[in-house]
Amino acid sequence: MRAWAVVEAKKPLQEIELPTPEPTGSQVLLEVTHAGVCHSDIHIWEGEWDLGSRGKMRLSERGVKLPLAMGHEIVGRVVKWGPDAEGQGLAVGQTRIVFPWVGCGTCARCRSDEDNMCLQGKALGVFQNGGYATHVLAPEPRHLVDPGDLDPALAATYACSGITVFSAINKVMPLAPDVPIVLVGAGGLGLQAIAVLKAMGHRRIVSVDINAEKLAAAKQAGASDTVDGSGEGVTARITEACGGPVEAIIDLVNGSATARLAFDALTKGGKLVQVGLFGGELTVPLPVMAMRALTVQGSYVGSPKELRALVAMAQGGKLPGIPITREPMRNADSALQRLIAGKVTGRIVLTAEAV
């Protein structure tokens, strides 16, 4: 198979040849047709995460080995499968969304369909080859979801940006439709979050970003309010837009600056859900945490059951799409560089040449 892989950290992706996997056990081999380019890919390409005063978390120390085909928003066609996958509804040529946040497959979390919480994470596109390639290997048929008549390029985004925001939103719900929910970041995740909230019937959606073009896209997508996140006084602008301190904030950037301004905007009993991986740290005043009964909670992607629920919502026509830019797979490196430069609205989705 061919792959557009990270061969060396922070260097251009290279087109390389790799052995095409032969599925064993319950594994399913798919031919990749679509692969989303996610902001997390930037950190994987850089080879490290910023932990603030704790230094760097290097992916090589976590078992990531190069060369690596990134890409964890994957749609593909079923090619073949291992003997243990017989009788599980597979057919050659089926189009399927691939759940990428796989774990060991045997622990209680994995067997409960919560693979993303497995302590031995083996995510596709991170710890094993993902969608920036002609083929990908799914561990089990249960990691495949039928997109039905959904646009496969949009459906691919549900495997990461979709279930990521769906899972985060579920952590602040239930809230009345007119209670403001603040979304920090109006990139691919932010627009996807607006779509999910609108599908849930939520009306007060406040989008915060430093980029005027992205704020305009958020407004067009259905945000009730937008807030300029640049410069000083961002917390004051958020509380003004919301009519006071906020019950629920989802930080889709999650850098030191955004985490602090979001924390400072919380009302008594408020919750900050941290999603993004921009990096840094948040120092919180401990007496304030207790006296104001605040909650700061991390949210890591989503589970297979959340992906199935989200896709069902989309198939029911309740979930509006986000802006998609299609690029041939051979443009993987230039697409990644555009994302790094902040020049992407919505999502770039790489496509196989024959699509």
Side-chain angles (χ1 to χ4, degrees):
M1 72 180 197
R2 284 178 297 143
W4 290 263
V6 183
V7 176
E8 183 179 350
K10 302 180 182 179
K11 298 294 184 181
L13 304 183
Q14 295 184 27
E15 182 177 349
I16 62 173
E17 295 283 336
L18 294 170
T20 303
E22 186 67 28
T24 61
S26 296
Q27 294 174 332
V28 183
L29 181 69
L30 298 97
E31 182 182 17
V32 176
T33 60
H34 299 80
V37 182
C38 176
H39 199 277
S40 294
D41 291 336
I42 297 173
H43 301 291
I44 299 165
W45 174 77
E46 290 173 339
E48 60 189 22
W49 310 89
D50 177 11
L51 302 182
S53 64
R54 296 175 183 242
K56 303 285 187 180
M57 178 176 69
R58 291 178 172 80
L59 293 184
S60 59
E61 297 168 356
R62 296 187 61 205
V64 174
K65 297 179 181 179
L66 302 180
L68 171 72
M70 300 189 297
H72 48 261
E73 294 184 339
I74 309 165
V75 166
R77 285 189 287 261
V78 173
V79 175
K80 61 174 72 172
W81 52 87
D84 295 342
E86 288 288 352
Q88 298 192 47
L90 295 170
V92 172
Q94 287 174 329
T95 297
R96 292 293 183 264
I97 306 168
V98 182
F99 175 80
W101 309 109
V102 298
C104 68
T106 58
C107 70
R109 289 287 198 164
C110 287
R111 301 328 298 173
S112 297
D113 233 13
E114 297 176 346
D115 308 56
N116 57 309
M117 299 304 292
C118 176
L119 293 176
Q120 302 177 55
K122 299 178 181 178
L124 305 181
V126 184
F127 295 101
Q128 50 188 318
N129 287 320
Y132 292 11
T134 56
H135 295 78
V136 70
L137 196 63
E140 302 179 48
R142 71 182 178 89
H143 293 128
L144 304 179
V145 178
D146 185 356
D149 59 0
L150 296 176
D151 174 0
L154 178 62
T157 71
Y158 293 152
C160 178
S161 65
I163 57 170
T164 293
V165 299
F166 184 64
S167 186
I169 289 167
N170 286 336
K171 290 177 174 65
V172 302
M173 289 299 192
L175 287 174
D178 291 313
V179 172
I181 294 178
V182 173
L183 305 173
V184 181
L189 284 175
L191 297 183
Q192 199 79 270
I194 293 169
V196 171
L197 283 167
K198 285 180 64 66
M200 291 179 170
H202 206 79
R203 292 189 285 265
R204 286 299 306 280
I205 306 168
V206 181
S207 179
V208 183
D209 204 285
I210 61 174
N211 184 297
E213 183 179 340
K214 291 183 179 180
L215 287 178
K219 192 71 173 178
Q220 184 174 4
S224 59
D225 305 87
T226 59
V227 174
D228 179 5
S230 61
E232 301 294 325
V234 181
T235 296
R237 290 197 290 273
I238 291 173
T239 55
E240 181 181 1
C242 295
V246 188
E247 285 193 42
I249 303 179
I250 301 173
D251 189 352
L252 303 165
V253 178
N254 199 28
S256 297
T258 60
R260 180 164 184 169
L261 66 86
F263 180 87
D264 290 347
L266 292 174
T267 191
K268 194 169 186 177
K271 177 181 279 192
L272 167 60
V273 176
Q274 298 180 313
V275 176
L277 300 170
F278 188 87
E281 60 187 350
L282 172 65
T283 302
V284 301
L286 298 180
V288 171
M289 284 288 293
M291 289 187 293
R292 295 175 61 193
L294 302 176
T295 300
V296 177
Q297 180 177 3
S299 186
Y300 178 62
V301 294
S303 67
K305 52 192 172 186
E306 287 175 313
L307 178 57
R308 290 190 285 269
L310 181 69
V311 170
M313 180 188 292
Q315 290 171 339
K318 297 180 180 179
L319 193 60
I322 65 170
I324 299 289
T325 302
R326 292 165 176 80
E327 292 279 358
M329 192 73 72
R330 66 177 183 273
N331 292 353
D333 185 68
S334 62
L336 184 68
Q337 295 305 316
R338 280 165 57 195
L339 186 61
I340 292 169
K343 296 180 179 179
V344 178
T345 298
R347 218 28 152 216
I348 295 177
V349 176
L350 304 174
T351 62
E353 297 294 337
V355 173

